[in-house]
Amino acid sequence: MIRTVPVGLGDRAYDVVIGTGLIDKAGEHVLPFLSKRRRCAVVTDANVGEHHVERLSVSLEKAGASVDVIVLPPGEETKSFEGLAHLSDQLLALNLERGDMIVAFGGGVIGDLAGFAAAIYKRGVDFIQIPTSLLAQVDSSVGGKTAIDTPRGKNLIGAFHQPRLVLADLDVLATLPARELACGYAEVIKYGLLGDFDFFEWLEKNVHAVLERDTEALVRAVGRSVEMKAEIVAEDEKEAGRRALLNLGHTFGHAIEAEMGFGDALKHGEAVGVGMAQAFRFSASQGLCPAQDAVRAVAAIKAAGLPTTLSEVRSGPFGADALIAHMGQDKKAEGGALTFVLVRGIGEAFVAKGVDPAPLRAFLLTEGAAG
Ligand SMILES: NC(=O)c1ccc[n+]([C@@H]2O[C@H](COP(=O)([O-])OP(=O)(O)OC[C@H]3O[C@@H](n4cnc5c(N)ncnc54)[C@H](O)[C@@H]3O)[C@@H](O)[C@H]2O)c1
Ligand SMILES: O=C(O)C(=O)C[C@@H](O)[C@H](O)[C@H](O)COP(=O)(O)O
Ligand SMILES: [Zn+2]
């Protein structure tokens, strides 16, 4: 089974190919994008490398490509200035040329880092995304946001750089740890919560099928997510307007991630789980959204085993002012004022500019943050 979702971006358009058995056929898919000397640098992490990189290399080599593999340490810490310096140096050591291809083979950390390296290496080389986590298949491999974190915040240094192709092989999810699958589910349910009530209702009924990796359920979950992201990105590539909806839960979530220091204790998908729950509760507290929609949204996030409250993230409290300070670094902020993605109900997100910090602070106190 193969499904192709086009991302309509004119001269930067590309396909997202979703299906099974794609790693073994990667060479065929990638070959048309290689230059004459057919050289690729595959960037992966140690976990993905251990399970899958051999098959990918064989497939690329069978198609006539010459392949070098760069293996990085797994984890969010790799998506940093240090990780970028290390990767750039490895690419230079291989003497990769401008016409060569970088292949990002891993989760969102590898995709964001290798994509950013591709955007700036020798002022820009092409790259292909072969996402291996559910989160990367439904979200980070599509849309061209690439970045690294800094201690001051999430994804603060980066570039828009679209891949030439995305190959999402559902088979590789077989080796993905259950915790990571739940992280990916957070971004899947985000699409339902932000703009597709029917998809949300389907997820309510099929959460266990998705988490048990039932192929049919994965095809629908990944397919619908990518379709929604592709449609939004094609309309608003650089987040001038509607693309901000994809940030539902992220202004809250990124602030929590920054406070937690971008490590293993709290993963991005988990932060988005709490962040989306807070976006619904905050919207309800401001009279924007019916309280029962917030209760239902939170229950659906919880059903995947994701956290929905600050106290599940850390027993010690978060400082309300520290969280608000992080929110000030959010890329959606305008003229010093905060922008949030809020909701009128399930499937009805909207962009709220100029959010007053006073009710926000009061809300965070009700959430258990310290004053
Ligand atoms: N660019 C975007 O639009 C976008 C969107 C969403 C998230 N992100 C970013 O993505 C990152 C999170 O991505 P993630 O959740 O994929 O994290 P990740 O890349 O750290 O991968 C999660 C873990 O799973 C392992 N793994 C991945 N695929 C595997 C497989 N098939 N088998 C076994 N292990 C596997 C990895 O080694 C890692 O330990 C964050 O940095 C987030 O900011 C970016
Ligand atoms: O693609 C987008 O646009 C998103 O916002 C998707 C998010 O899930 C993702 O985490 C993204 O990296 C966040 O972007 P940022 O601009 O808030 O750093
Ligand atoms: Zn995200």
Side-chain angles (χ1 to χ4, degrees), residues 103-168:
V103 177
F105 185 47
V109 164
I110 291 297
D112 279 15
L113 174 69
F116 186 38
I120 57 175
Y121 180 82
K122 297 189 176 173
R123 300 204 182 90
V125 296
D126 282 349
F127 84 117
I128 283 173
Q129 290 266 21
I130 307 189
T132 63
S133 67
L134 179 62
L135 183 142
Q137 295 191 348
V138 300
D139 195 352
S140 62
S141 62
V142 182
K145 274 191 179 178
T146 73
I148 56 171
D149 308 324
T150 93
R152 290 187 191 276
K154 186 85 181 159
N155 302 332
L156 292 185
I157 307 293
F160 286 99
H161 187 50
Q162 300 293 343
R164 299 295 310 279
L165 172 74
V166 181
L167 280 184

Side-chain angles (χ1 to χ4, degrees), residues 30-31 34 37-40 57 60-67:
V30 166
L31 191 62
L34 300 184
R37 74 172 192 154
R38 296 180 175 177
R39 180 127 195 254
C40 321
S57 299
L60 293 171
E61 280 163 358
K62 252 206 231 151
S66 82
V67 180

Side-chain angles (χ1 to χ4, degrees), residues 165-180:
L165 172 74
V166 181
L167 280 184
D169 186 343
L170 303 174
D171 289 340
V172 299
L173 300 179
T175 57
L176 190 69
R179 182 180 177 194
E180 304 297 346

Side-chain angles (χ1 to χ4, degrees), residues 352-367:
K353 293 190 180 187
V355 170
D356 184 350
L360 173 68
R361 190 172 188 281
F363 166 74
L364 289 171
L365 297 181
T366 67
E367 291 279 298

